[in-house]
Amino acid sequence: YYCSTDGLAVSEKAEIPYTASATTLVADGIAVINLTGLPAGTVLTVLGESEIETAGAIDFSIDLIGSYNLLLTHSNYLDTTITVTAT
């Protein structure tokens, strides 16, 4: 649960809403997975590095082959993990 910014309402947390353009990408550092529809202030954490969403979207790219857990966090939502594969 979380309290609204004005303190007048209590709401149950839901999963962070998002749309992912893909769950696989080429590990070349150029190919990108776009995460869109994110609430303002969502934080993406991958391999201990974090980025704060500022425009409703975050891009992810990597140049190492492997499977990666993209952790989305926000104080008003449940933590959400997206698993992507770079080949």
Side-chain angles (χ1 to χ4, degrees):
Y1 291 91
Y2 71 96
C3 198
S4 64
T5 55
D6 61 11
L8 299 177
V10 175
S11 299
E12 188 172 346
K13 288 185 176 184
E15 288 190 13
I16 295 173
Y18 72 90
T19 301
S21 62
T23 55
T24 61
L25 75 159
V26 176
D28 61 4
I30 298 170
V32 173
I33 291 178
N34 307 101
L35 302 175
T36 58
L38 298 168
T42 298
V43 177
L44 169 66
T45 303
V46 182
L47 299 173
E49 298 288 324
S50 296
E51 177 181 343
I52 298 175
E53 172 285 323
T54 57
I58 297 176
D59 293 336
F60 171 78
S61 66
I62 193 97
D63 60 359
L64 299 171
I65 292 172
S67 182
Y68 298 90
N69 289 322
L70 283 57
L71 175 63
L72 298 173
T73 56
H74 189 287
S75 60
N76 295 345
Y77 295 89
L78 296 171
D79 292 355
T80 302
T81 300
I82 305 163
T83 301
V84 300
T85 303
T87 57

